[in-house]
Amino acid sequence: MGNLLCCVKVDQSTVAIRERFGRFDDVLEPGCHCLPWFLGSQIAGHLTLRLQQLDVRCETKTKDNVFVNVVASIQYRALAGKAGDAFYKLSNTQSQIKAYVFDVIRASVPKLILDDVFEQKTEIAKAVEDELEKAMSAYGYEIVQTLIVDIEPDEHVKRAMNEINAARVLSLSLSLPCQGIQTARLRVAANEKAEAEKIVQIKRAEGEAEAKYLAGLGIARQRQAIVDGLRDSVIGFSENVPGTSAKDVMDMVLITQYFDTMKEIGASSKSSSVFIPHGPGAVRDIASQIRDGLLQASQL
């Protein structure tokens, strides 16, 4: 209806950009205005004059090689007297502001160690604001205030810092006399933690000792069973085959076991290369060594 009557309404805290035949003509303030469209006048767009806020998260690295996320809050608004510049010179105001914030933060933070970044966040915010004010004033925008609202180190660094601070507080509470309930609680907690760690270490040592004792007992019983089986085999063979000595039977049993072992090594698909001496003399030496070992185990 307003277009038919050549009238246009502009809301409060907003200005309208009027063009005539595609060329900038005037800035219309809030209220009702005549817009003779038949003379080529039209509204190109509206521009808000309200205060706006943009939160920018920037990841960078400190001088001591710690990655941090710095969150800057930028409060800005368009200037009514430069509404034409604010409307025509920038197509994306927020992207432009982010670019300047990234540039200043990534130039300032790498010069500081992590502790200094927390202490000098006001100076960093001031540097960002000065750079934005100098750059954005040419585009018709005013930077009202810049705040560094958060500094977030990497999660592993944050956890390490908390552990270091807890250890410092605990060490201080143990070295000083008891000066309150909080200090006494820290001392009791430290004693309980140390006692728990002591119990865990003792139980672990007892478990390892018991496991080693049982493993040794099992190996001894296994060797004793092998000796008993060989002894029964020698006695039975000597009784059934007259003229054979115990040594002959023992050599035959050991050589049989030797060849069975060679067969198992060759049949296994997962076995690695094994180099062992082979031949009549080598078999005799191996049998002698196994016999001596079994006899020593039997005596023990």
Side-chain angles (χ1 to χ4, degrees), residues 122-151:
T122 303
E123 287 78 1
I124 298 174
K126 181 63 176 175
V128 174
E129 182 175 347
D130 292 343
E131 185 67 21
L132 283 175
E133 183 67 31
K134 181 173 60 176
M136 298 303 293
S137 61
Y139 300 108
Y141 282 90
E142 176 190 9
I143 304 301
V144 178
Q145 193 170 14
T146 301
L147 301 173
I148 301 297
V149 296
D150 198 5
I151 300 174

Side-chain angles (χ1 to χ4, degrees), residues 9-242:
K9 179 190 71 172
V10 180
D11 295 333
Q12 184 66 34
S13 299
T14 305
V15 293
I17 305 300
R18 185 176 68 185
E19 294 180 347
R20 176 170 293 179
F21 296 109
R23 183 177 180 180
F24 172 72
D25 182 38
D26 195 8
V27 176
L28 304 182
E29 297 182 353
C32 184
H33 299 271
C34 180
L35 190 70
W37 56 267
F38 53 87
L39 296 179
S41 296
Q42 64 176 359
I43 298 297
H46 294 79
L47 182 69
T48 180
L49 301 180
R50 292 188 179 95
L51 183 66
Q52 302 180 66
Q53 178 169 314
L54 175 65
D55 292 332
V56 182
R57 178 181 294 270
C58 177
E59 184 180 16
T60 184
K61 186 177 70 171
T62 63
K63 188 176 182 180
D64 48 352
N65 296 324
V66 178
F67 281 92
V68 294
N69 284 312
V70 181
V71 181
S73 180
I74 313 299
Q75 298 176 357
Y76 66 98
R77 63 187 173 191
L79 296 173
K82 296 183 176 180
D85 293 337
F87 185 82
Y88 286 105
K89 287 187 176 182
L90 284 180
S91 61
N92 193 328
T93 306
Q94 294 188 353
S95 296
Q96 188 79 3
I97 292 176
K98 286 182 180 179
Y100 283 108
V101 173
F102 286 161
D103 181 66
V104 176
I105 290 180
R106 288 175 176 170
S108 302
V109 174
K111 300 177 182 179
L112 306 172
I113 62 174
L114 182 59
D115 292 339
D116 292 342
V117 173
F118 284 95
E119 295 176 0
Q120 300 183 24
K121 70 174 186 176
T122 303
E123 287 78 1
I124 298 174
K126 181 63 176 175
V128 174
E129 182 175 347
D130 292 343
E131 185 67 21
L132 283 175
E133 183 67 31
K134 181 173 60 176
M136 298 303 293
S137 61
Y139 300 108
Y141 282 90
E142 176 190 9
I143 304 301
V144 178
Q145 193 170 14
T146 301
L147 301 173
I148 301 297
V149 296
D150 198 5
I151 300 174
E152 299 178 358
D154 184 79
E155 188 64 29
H156 299 288
V157 177
K158 189 185 300 184
R159 188 182 304 111
M161 293 174 65
N162 291 334
E163 291 177 356
I164 292 173
N165 292 333
R168 288 177 179 174
V169 173
L170 187 58
S171 176
L172 181 62
S173 66
L174 293 176
S175 61
L176 296 176
C178 182
Q179 297 179 356
I181 297 177
Q182 186 66 23
T183 304
R185 288 178 177 174
L186 289 174
R187 182 179 288 109
V188 171
N191 291 333
E192 293 292 338
K193 182 179 180 181
E195 189 66 24
E197 292 178 353
K198 175 183 175 182
I199 294 174
V200 170
Q201 293 178 1
I202 291 175
K203 292 299 182 181
R204 185 183 297 115
E206 291 178 353
E208 292 178 356
E210 183 68 19
K212 291 179 180 179
Y213 169 76
L214 294 176
L217 186 61
I219 293 173
R221 290 178 177 176
Q222 179 187 18
R223 291 178 178 175
Q224 185 62 41
I226 293 173
V227 171
D228 293 341
L230 290 174
R231 184 179 62 249
D232 294 341
S233 298
V234 170
I235 294 174
F237 194 87
S238 299
E239 292 177 352
N240 294 327
V241 182

Side-chain angles (χ1 to χ4, degrees), residues 265 270-275:
I265 292 175
K270 297 182 179 180
S271 62
S272 58
S273 299
V274 179
F275 297 93

